[in-house]
Amino acid sequence: MKRMLALALACIAVLALAACGSAPAASGSAAASGSAAASVSVGDFKPITLKFSTMNPKGHFSIDSVYNIAQVIEDKTGGKIKVEVYPGGQLGDYDIVTDELMRGTIDLAFQSAVDKYDASVGAHALPYLCTDYKDLPVVYAADGYLCQHFADAYESMGVKFLGVFTEGFQGIGSVKKIPNAGDPSAAKNYTLRVANIKCLTDAFSLLGFSVSTLPYSETLSAIQTGVVDGWVGGTAILNYQTFSDVIKQYYLYMTYVEASHFLMNLDRYNSLPAEYQQIITDAIHDECVKSFDLAKEKDQEGLDLLSKKGIETVTFTQDELKAMKDATRDQVLESSRELMGSDFIDGLQAFLSKNGL
């Protein structure tokens, strides 16, 4: 009887020790932290190839940055990690790639935010978070409010957020002059194609436009046939590359920034040794930081190319941009609470106020 009692007590003690020992592992696991390194060492790590999806085509300046990242990763891991880049949406559109990224069938992606799982990851489309290029390193800093929020939001989707690449400010490609273009209080008598995103349709309605949310794939023909007078959603470079045969004016409204996200499947990221995680993180961070200056350079390059083709380019003064910000931002932030969450909007407003934006 005593032997049986002793055995039972020993079993209880073993179970108690096991329970105590497992608690720290659970709280610090990859699933909980989103940043844990695999137990495998660099020396034991077997070579892998990562599939890297991008939406922009070869020839777009941002793809140079993607290839730079791929080369740095391969060089600094001694070839242990190779990266196959698939430009131009070869692996599918944004929605498909996001789903595949979450499943792990695609490892890395560089694309615009897909907000169907969490509307707040599309916050770059909120109007006038920036009104000047000098604001970009503040609003999109790796340790800033937006990027920290994106990291948390994506982690809940099983995705590692690695940074924002700013491609430039958005403008309106137009087939006719916009009346009272710099006056947000004036009706424009103008039909504008806008992406079907509430904060965008709200913003341009407040700026005096009639908005149409027809699909992007129909935009060119809609401009040609007069269904719409113009479209918003493209940088000067993109308008030159895609719409310069049909538009007559380009207005750099600077309503929001084309801010593409670098993303990685979280399980794949967590399976890498800490040293390799850091190599990937640093390579992407370096290109994101470079993009702040590149955005200004490429916007000016796009404006110059449009002008050389005979397309009128219109920019706005800081006073005009401030008037447009005052007419739109606060109202759109308030109307975005239901979709993006009040906690997020409150935090964003506090961040903008703190930084004088």
Side-chain angles (χ1 to χ4, degrees):
M1 183 67 178
K2 290 182 180 178
R3 290 180 63 192
M4 291 180 64
L5 180 59
L7 182 60
L9 290 172
C11 288
I12 291 169
V14 169
L15 290 172
L17 286 170
C20 291
S22 65
S27 64
S29 67
S33 70
S35 61
S39 59
V40 64
S41 67
V42 168
D44 294 333
F45 186 77
K46 295 181 179 179
I48 60 171
T49 299
L50 302 178
K51 292 169 66 176
F52 197 160
S53 170
T54 75
M55 292 296 122
N56 289 335
K58 278 188 175 181
H60 192 279
F61 70 91
S62 65
I63 300 303
D64 293 339
S65 292
V66 172
Y67 280 107
N68 287 344
I69 290 164
Q71 191 62 55
V72 168
I73 292 171
E74 182 170 344
D75 290 346
K76 291 195 173 182
T77 62
K80 285 286 190 79
I81 299 180
K82 295 184 182 295
V83 181
E84 289 183 353
V85 178
Y86 295 83
Q90 292 179 35
L91 300 182
D93 66 15
Y94 305 143
D95 280 353
I96 291 172
V97 169
T98 299
D99 291 340
E100 295 301 318
L101 195 66
M102 292 166 67
R103 294 188 188 103
T105 50
I106 293 175
D107 302 297
L108 284 154
F110 171 66
Q111 61 183 39
S112 296
V114 174
D115 60 1
K116 64 180 179 180
Y117 296 111
D118 187 331
S120 66
V121 302
H124 72 281
L126 291 165
Y128 296 108
L129 300 182
C130 304
T131 57
D132 195 291
Y133 294 95
K134 67 179 174 58
D135 300 336
L136 296 179
V138 178
V139 174
Y140 295 107
D143 59 352
Y145 179 77
L146 273 183
C147 284
Q148 291 297 306
H149 175 81
F150 293 157
D152 292 339
Y154 276 114
E155 184 176 329
S156 68
M157 297 159 53
V159 173
K160 177 72 176 177
F161 170 78
L162 292 164
V164 167
F165 186 99
T166 56
E167 298 180 31
F169 279 94
Q170 301 291 317
I172 294 175
S174 182
V175 292
K176 73 175 188 181
K177 291 193 174 183
I178 300 174
N180 304 304
D183 182 358
S185 65
K188 301 297 189 290
N189 187 27
Y190 188 103
T191 301
L192 179 68
R193 183 271 170 187
V194 181
N196 190 20
I197 301 172
K198 187 177 185 301
C199 61
L200 291 182
T201 57
D202 286 353
F204 285 98
S205 295
L206 288 168
L207 289 174
F209 293 92
S210 298
V211 300
S212 169
T213 57
L214 56 82
Y216 176 76
S217 59
E218 299 175 19
T219 301
L220 185 60
S221 63
I223 292 174
Q224 290 172 319
T225 57
V227 173
V228 297
D229 300 309
W231 80 293
V232 67
T235 61
I237 283 280
L238 181 59
N239 272 266
Y240 173 76
Q241 292 174 335
T242 310
F243 291 88
S244 59
D245 288 338
V246 296
I247 63 173
K248 296 179 180 177
Q249 292 88 21
Y250 180 77
Y251 295 80
L252 186 57
Y253 265 85
M254 301 181 77
T255 318
Y256 65 102
V257 178
E258 182 63 35
S260 297
H261 292 184
F262 282 104
L263 307 170
M264 187 171 184
N265 174 266
L266 185 61
D267 287 341
R268 174 65 83 181
Y269 180 85
N270 284 336
S271 73
L272 303 176
E275 181 180 327
Y276 289 174
Q277 290 180 355
Q278 196 63 50
I279 287 169
I280 292 172
T281 300
D282 289 347
I284 290 174
H285 174 72
D286 289 347
E287 293 298 328
C288 290
V289 170
K290 291 176 187 175
S291 77
F292 301 144
D293 290 331
L294 204 56
K296 182 176 183 178
E297 176 189 325
K298 291 300 179 179
D299 276 354
Q300 187 59 56
E301 180 182 323
L303 291 172
D304 292 342
L305 288 168
L306 289 167
S307 294
K308 288 177 182 177
K309 195 160 183 177
I311 295 166
E312 180 184 6
T313 60
V314 180
T315 58
F316 299 95
T317 66
Q318 278 298 308
D319 286 343
E320 288 173 318
L321 291 172
K322 183 180 184 303
M324 289 188 264
K325 178 185 78 173
D326 291 345
T328 59
R329 192 173 79 184
D330 286 347
Q331 290 190 62
V332 174
L333 284 173
E334 289 303 315
S335 67
S336 298
R337 285 183 179 276
E338 184 176 353
L339 279 175
M340 296 188 180
S342 284
D343 287 346
F344 169 69
I345 296 297
D346 287 343
L348 179 58
Q349 288 174 324
F351 170 80
L352 294 170
S353 177
K354 178 182 176 182
N355 288 280
L357 296 170

